[in-house]
Amino acid sequence: MTTPSVSQCKLTSSQLSSTISAQLFSSTQSASNIKQAFVGHERAKEALEFGLSMSAIGFNVFAMGEHGTGRQTLIKQMLTALAKEQPTPAEWCYINNFDENHAPFKLYVNPGDGKQLLSRMNKFIDELMDLFPEIFDNPGYQRQKSAIDREFNKQYDQAIAAVEDIALKNNVALYEENGEVGFSPLVDGKPLNDKEFANIEESERAKFYQLLAELENVLAEQLLELPLWKRISSDKMRKLKYDTAEQSIAPYLKELEQEFATNQGVLKYLGKVKAHIVDAVLEILVSEEEDSANDKDLRKLMVERFLPNLLVPRDVNDGAPVVYEQNPTYQNLFGHVDFASFQGSSYTSYRLIRPGALHKANGGYLLLDADKLLTQPLVWARLKLALKTGQITIENPYSELTQPGAYSLQPEKIPLQVKVVLLGDAEIYYTLQDYDQEFTELFRVLADFDRHLVKNDDNLMAFGNLIRQRAFKHAYPEIDDQAVLELVRYALRRAEHKHKISANIVQVNDLLDEANYCWGKAGAKGKLTAEHIALALAAKKRRIGRLSETWLDEIKEQQVLIHTDGEFVGKVNGLTVLEIGDSVFGTPARITATVYAGSQGVTDIEREVDLGKSIHSKGVLLLTGYLGHKYGQGFPVSISANIAIEQSYGHIDGDSASMAELCALISAITLLPICQSLAITGSINQHGEVQSIGGVNEKIEGFFQLCKDKGLTGKQGVIIPKTNIVNLMLNSDVIDAVEQGEFAIYAVETIDQALELLMSNKAGTLNSTGRYPRKSIHALALDKLEKFAELLDGSEE
């Protein structure tokens, strides 16, 4: 296989970034005329259109993607458009269960009718307040009441008269005092008082007492049916009150029934009201107690019994609801029952039932953050139950832990018809798929949002429109084309790809906000330009740059040993990326190798001390495979070697140092020095092919900054995998230095090209006799390894 020469590996400045013309953004629309649109995510759009339109149970949607990629914005746009075309769902109320107060009934009303029903019921209660108790003052009622009283009094008077006739025949007077009947003896037609009665003879007094006993017996016999007369009279009076109240209320109820004649649920409710309203009016509004409550308290009592509790009012023209619940606690999602206090004690009723997000979104769409949802106790299990049963249950999830006998409501379950959209990342989605079978049954549609957008003219112009739209929305100054270009370049850099734009628009928006701050600080005049973008980037880099500056200072002070000139055997400048919080920067790291005769193989010192993680250790083990494949075809390769990343005191992972480690190892074997003005990064396989790595831009810029601080010589540069050329989005300082010949970037496909660049020597290829050219890198390595093998064979003999 032929490979490009070393001279062909050197990259030009045009290959170090993506080529975009600012003129592309001059054709974007005026910010005030931009219609809000969304860029990319075609796969997710198709999935959403399918999932949101499917009415079958279980086709809820999981929107998978990273934060900031516009999932929520796109979904809200689609839902808003879709919801307007759908009918407004029904309204639900809770009404009093007059027979079992702890179990309120649900009531269905057409959209918009709920407020009308509340208004009419309030008016109905006001009418009752005006009607009672004044209705009992009318002459018709008073005549009937007087007739009942007269009937009772007539029976009573007849009984008393009969007793009085008997008493008079025996010279005894009958009198009533304070509702009690008494007797007194007559002398000469006049009743005796107590003093006169005491002066009469004892025989006369005894005779009177005997007569008194007989008269009382007669009185008792005559008034034997008095309780019956009173009961009959009271029953007639109650019936009169009830009939009068019923006749008075009937026209108002009939009027209500006529207004809601098309709603069977309301008519059924009014039937229940009709059965209990008269008793409630007589109990509450017709009080015979002098210290009765005032009108405000009386009205409240009536409201607590008869006014429906409208959970979620809707307008008939609103369409289907779209609800995003930011804090999906149990109460916020399923609703709850409030408690109120009255005269020092707490109470609850159907009027204190509060709706949750499921009630608000019923008949429409509900958006939830999966991570927030799953951290709330009991919520995930109850949400799945609600979606499976199609019912919303309002209950206290901790009722089993409350004190026995505590009063609580058990409202009737409300039918649920809702489309749930969960927002979450890939880790949550695949974890739920693996461990929760019900999740797969209920969320059958995956809307997978892209991390990157394809860099074509349409997407670029749409991206520019989004930037200008945000500026217009927040009253920022007009953004010129070059500034839009720099923001797009920033999105390409965040994607680490020349042909892909980062879908994380939030990061670009943050930079735009900071650039607007810089524009204001610079005088707030004219357009927002590329200079303001550069100022914002520089300010951001400075804010988070303390760690990288400290690291570079330690290298310049030789606290960390890194050379950018000279040559050393078994030492090479590797490139690493450090990510600490929101600070990500590249820095060189010295990788060293030592070899000696032996059969212990290649020892990874980082792994031996538990600092090297699995992927890094895998990269080191591949070196043994390469050595055996490359040099062990004619004899067994026996070597003892140690490889270390010097002055590294933390955990190391990744295989991006494996190419540098192999170069250091071959340098130690051949004793050929490595040029320290070059740094290298890349992964290799067992055949010596160079593979892509991550963080290539940060690595190059980190080494360039060190070289710049020490002084650019024109010989310094970086070796990267050729497959990483597409990931290059370097800053202008590096591009300018490459263009002026002060810094170089080489892209290699094989380890041979990297060795030739680092050692200024030909790697060598096998000739027809199966040997490498003399003094080539591979020939020297083969000779050294063969000597090690002979030494080991001789020692064994």
Side-chain angles (χ1 to χ4, degrees):
M1 182 181 70
T2 59
T3 58
S5 63
V6 170
S7 61
Q8 293 177 313
C9 296
K10 191 173 183 178
L11 301 182
T12 64
S13 59
S14 62
Q15 295 176 282
L16 305 183
S17 184
S18 181
T19 304
I20 308 174
S21 172
Q23 293 180 351
L24 182 66
F25 304 106
S26 63
S27 60
T28 55
Q29 305 173 45
S30 172
S32 59
N33 297 326
I34 294 174
K35 183 179 179 181
Q36 186 167 358
F38 206 83
V39 187
H41 302 299
E42 296 301 326
R43 188 199 318 272
K45 286 181 184 177
E46 293 174 8
L48 285 169
E49 288 173 358
F50 166 71
L52 298 178
S53 302
M54 281 290 292
S55 57
I57 296 175
F59 284 85
N60 297 293
V61 180
F62 189 99
M64 183 174 73
E66 295 181 355
H67 175 72
T69 54
R71 293 171 305 167
Q72 193 177 130
T73 303
L74 174 60
I75 292 170
K76 283 185 176 179
Q77 287 179 7
M78 295 185 68
L79 288 180
T80 302
L82 188 62
K84 287 181 180 178
E85 301 174 358
Q86 297 184 357
T88 304
E91 295 177 328
W92 289 97
C93 305
Y94 273 112
I95 58 175
N96 192 10
N97 182 345
F98 298 101
D99 298 322
E100 297 181 28
N101 291 333
H102 72 281
F105 291 127
K106 64 178 183 290
L107 174 63
Y108 159 96
V109 293
N110 296 323
D113 286 354
K115 288 184 177 179
Q116 182 185 356
L117 177 61
L118 291 186
S119 176
R120 284 298 290 113
M121 289 303 295
N122 271 311
K123 182 181 177 183
F124 176 60
I125 292 173
D126 289 336
E127 290 168 342
L128 295 180
M129 296 286 295
D130 295 337
L131 193 61
F132 293 94
E134 285 76 9
I135 190 65
F136 298 116
D137 293 335
N138 72 75
Y141 173 80
Q142 291 297 330
R143 283 196 300 270
Q144 295 182 65
K145 180 182 178 183
S146 298
I148 294 172
D149 289 339
R150 284 196 301 272
E151 184 179 356
F152 173 78
N153 291 335
K154 181 180 179 181
Q155 290 177 308
Y156 180 79
D157 290 344
Q158 287 176 351
I160 294 298
V163 176
E164 188 174 19
D165 288 343
I166 297 173
L168 289 174
K169 290 177 181 180
N170 292 280
N171 293 322
V172 175
L174 182 146
Y175 64 90
E176 291 186 65
E177 186 177 2
N178 296 329
E180 295 183 358
V181 178
F183 296 96
S184 177
L186 292 174
V187 175
D188 297 331
K190 294 181 180 180
L192 300 180
N193 57 30
D194 291 343
K195 184 176 181 181
E196 292 173 338
F197 182 73
N199 293 328
I200 64 176
E201 295 180 359
E202 182 64 28
S203 60
E204 290 295 326
R205 285 202 303 271
K207 183 178 178 183
F208 174 75
Y209 285 136
Q210 183 178 357
L211 182 59
L212 181 62
E214 293 174 359
L215 289 172
E216 286 179 348
N217 288 336
V218 172
L219 179 63
E221 289 176 0
Q222 291 294 324
L223 297 180
L224 184 63
E225 295 184 352
L226 179 64
L228 177 61
W229 300 338
K230 284 186 176 181
R231 189 180 69 195
I232 292 173
S233 177
S234 297
D235 289 346
K236 288 180 178 180
M237 190 62 70
R238 277 194 297 270
K239 187 175 185 306
L240 175 61
K241 277 189 175 182
Y242 189 93
D243 291 344
T244 302
E246 187 176 38
Q247 290 172 7
S248 303
I249 296 171
Y252 299 101
L253 280 173
K254 188 173 182 180
E255 185 179 344
L256 276 172
E257 290 172 344
Q258 289 174 349
E259 287 188 32
F260 296 94
T262 58
N263 193 316
Q264 292 299 320
V266 175
L267 291 179
K268 185 178 179 181
Y269 161 64
L270 292 177
K272 295 176 181 177
V273 170
K274 187 176 183 180
H276 294 85
I277 187 67
V278 176
D279 290 333
V281 165
L282 295 177
E283 176 188 346
I284 298 172
L285 301 183
V286 186
S287 176
E288 297 180 357
E289 298 177 5
E290 294 182 0
D291 57 344
S292 59
N294 56 42
D295 287 350
K296 183 179 179 180
D297 291 339
L298 294 176
R299 192 183 192 286
K300 183 179 179 181
L301 292 173
M302 293 295 292
V303 165
E304 289 292 332
R305 288 202 189 185
F306 296 103
L307 189 66
N309 178 11
L310 178 60
L311 294 180
V312 183
R314 304 192 192 280
D315 190 287
V316 69
N317 298 317
D318 283 347
V322 178
V323 177
Y324 171 51
E325 179 52 60
Q326 297 185 5
N327 183 25
T329 62
Y330 193 96
Q331 290 188 348
N332 289 348
L333 200 58
F334 297 96
H336 63 285
V337 179
D338 264 348
F339 282 81
S341 61
F342 182 72
Q343 295 182 349
S345 60
S346 62
Y347 74 96
T348 188
S349 74
Y350 75 99
R351 295 273 307 152
L352 295 175
I353 298 174
R354 304 291 180 247
L358 283 174
H359 298 90
K360 298 172 185 176
N362 200 2
Y365 306 92
L366 176 62
L367 275 71
L368 298 169
D369 291 311
D371 54 346
K372 295 178 182 178
L373 183 74
L374 294 172
T375 56
Q376 295 291 338
L378 303 177
V379 171
W380 175 239
R382 299 298 173 90
L383 176 61
K384 291 187 294 181
L385 181 63
L387 293 177
K388 288 178 70 175
T389 60
Q391 293 180 324
I392 310 174
T393 304
I394 299 179
E395 60 183 347
N396 179 6
Y398 307 106
S399 57
E400 296 178 356
L401 305 178
T402 58
Q403 294 181 354
Y407 184 78
S408 63
L409 298 183
Q410 296 177 353
E412 190 176 3
K413 297 178 181 179
I414 290 178
L416 173 66
Q417 185 177 0
V418 69
K419 182 75 68 175
V420 177
V421 180
L422 282 184
L423 307 173
D425 56 28
E427 183 181 2
I428 292 176
Y429 176 76
Y430 292 116
T431 300
L432 289 173
Q433 268 208 331
D434 290 341
Y435 296 102
D436 193 337
Q437 180 61 34
E438 289 179 320
F439 170 76
T440 306
E441 296 173 0
L442 293 172
F443 291 86
R444 299 180 182 178
V445 181
L446 171 65
D448 194 354
F449 282 77
D450 301 319
R451 294 178 59 194
H452 307 114
L453 310 174
V454 178
K455 193 199 79 173
N456 54 41
D457 287 353
D458 290 339
N459 281 347
L460 288 173
M461 287 190 290
F463 205 83
N465 281 337
L466 283 179
I467 293 170
R468 286 195 162 118
Q469 182 186 37
R470 177 175 177 82
F472 176 76
K473 179 181 178 181
H474 293 276
Y476 291 168
E478 184 182 351
I479 306 176
D480 70 10
D481 297 340
Q482 197 65 36
V484 175
L485 173 60
E486 291 304 316
L487 289 168
V488 172
R489 284 185 182 277
Y490 180 72
L492 290 165
R493 171 62 184 261
R494 298 298 303 185
E496 291 190 292
H497 206 288
K498 292 180 181 178
H499 310 305
K500 293 180 181 179
I501 311 169
S502 171
N504 195 327
I505 189 67
V506 171
Q507 296 169 339
V508 178
N509 289 341
D510 290 345
L511 182 59
L512 176 60
D513 296 341
E514 294 179 33
N516 177 66
Y517 169 79
C518 295
W519 172 83
K521 197 173 180 181
K525 295 180 180 179
K527 296 182 179 180
L528 194 153
T529 66
E531 294 180 4
H532 299 116
I533 305 296
L535 287 172
L537 281 171
K540 186 174 184 178
K541 182 178 179 181
R542 176 169 174 77
R543 287 197 303 272
I544 64 175
R546 184 183 63 82
L547 292 173
S548 61
E549 291 175 6
T550 302
W551 194 269
L552 289 175
D553 288 342
E554 290 183 352
I555 294 175
K556 288 184 285 186
E557 295 170 0
Q558 295 188 351
Q559 300 298 317
V560 176
L561 296 178
I562 298 289
H563 291 89
T564 58
D565 55 11
E567 295 179 337
F568 294 97
V569 173
K571 299 177 183 178
V572 67
N573 290 330
L575 293 174
T576 62
V577 171
L578 297 182
E579 185 171 354
I580 305 171
D582 59 352
S583 180
V584 182
F585 60 93
T587 182
R590 171 169 284 184
I591 298 173
T592 63
T594 58
V595 298
Y596 49 93
S599 59
Q600 295 178 358
V602 179
T603 301
D604 177 12
I605 292 178
E606 310 298 330
R607 181 183 180 184
E608 294 298 318
V609 295
D610 293 330
L611 289 179
K613 294 190 175 181
S614 55
I615 296 178
H616 176 263
S617 299
K618 175 187 175 183
V620 175
L621 291 174
L622 288 174
L623 306 186
T624 304
Y626 174 82
L627 294 177
H629 172 71
K630 192 74 175 177
Y631 307 117
Q633 302 300 317
F635 61 90
V637 174
S638 298
I639 186 175
S640 291
N642 294 314
I643 293 178
I645 299 177
E646 303 292 352
Q647 293 183 283
S648 171
Y649 308 109
H651 289 288
I652 297 172
D653 203 9
D655 61 353
S656 65
S658 58
M659 181 162 65
E661 291 168 339
L662 180 57
C663 292
L665 183 60
I666 292 178
S667 171
I669 293 171
T670 61
L671 299 180
L672 291 174
I674 290 177
C675 177
Q676 301 298 300
S677 60
L678 294 177
I680 184 171
T681 181
S683 166
I684 63 161
N685 59 28
Q686 295 183 94
H687 295 276
E689 297 168 329
V690 181
Q691 303 166 152
S692 297
I693 46 86
V696 64
N697 294 295
E698 289 81 3
K699 291 176 179 179
I700 293 173
E701 290 170 359
F703 188 68
F704 170 79
Q705 188 63 47
L706 175 62
C707 295
K708 183 180 179 182
D709 291 347
K710 285 192 171 185
L712 294 172
T713 63
K715 297 180 180 180
Q716 296 142 333
V718 172
I719 300 171
I720 65 170
K722 186 176 181 180
T723 50
N724 277 120
I725 294 177
V726 73
N727 303 114
L728 294 178
M729 284 297 300
L730 295 168
N731 62 36
S732 57
D733 290 344
V734 179
I735 295 175
D736 292 343
V738 170
E739 191 169 359
Q740 295 171 14
E742 297 176 340
F743 195 76
I745 297 175
Y746 303 92
V748 299
E749 292 181 273
T750 65
I751 188 64
D752 288 0
Q753 294 172 333
L755 291 171
E756 291 179 3
L757 285 167
L758 290 171
M759 300 179 185
S760 302
N761 196 3
K762 288 290 183 181
T765 56
L766 286 171
N767 56 27
S768 57
T769 62
R771 299 186 65 83
Y772 291 103
R774 291 183 68 252
K775 294 188 178 181
S776 67
I777 296 173
H778 292 314
L780 294 173
L782 196 62
D783 291 344
K784 187 63 170 285
L785 291 172
E786 193 170 3
K787 288 180 180 178
F788 281 166
E790 290 174 356
L791 286 173
L792 287 176
D793 289 341
S795 63
E796 289 176 1
E797 293 176 2

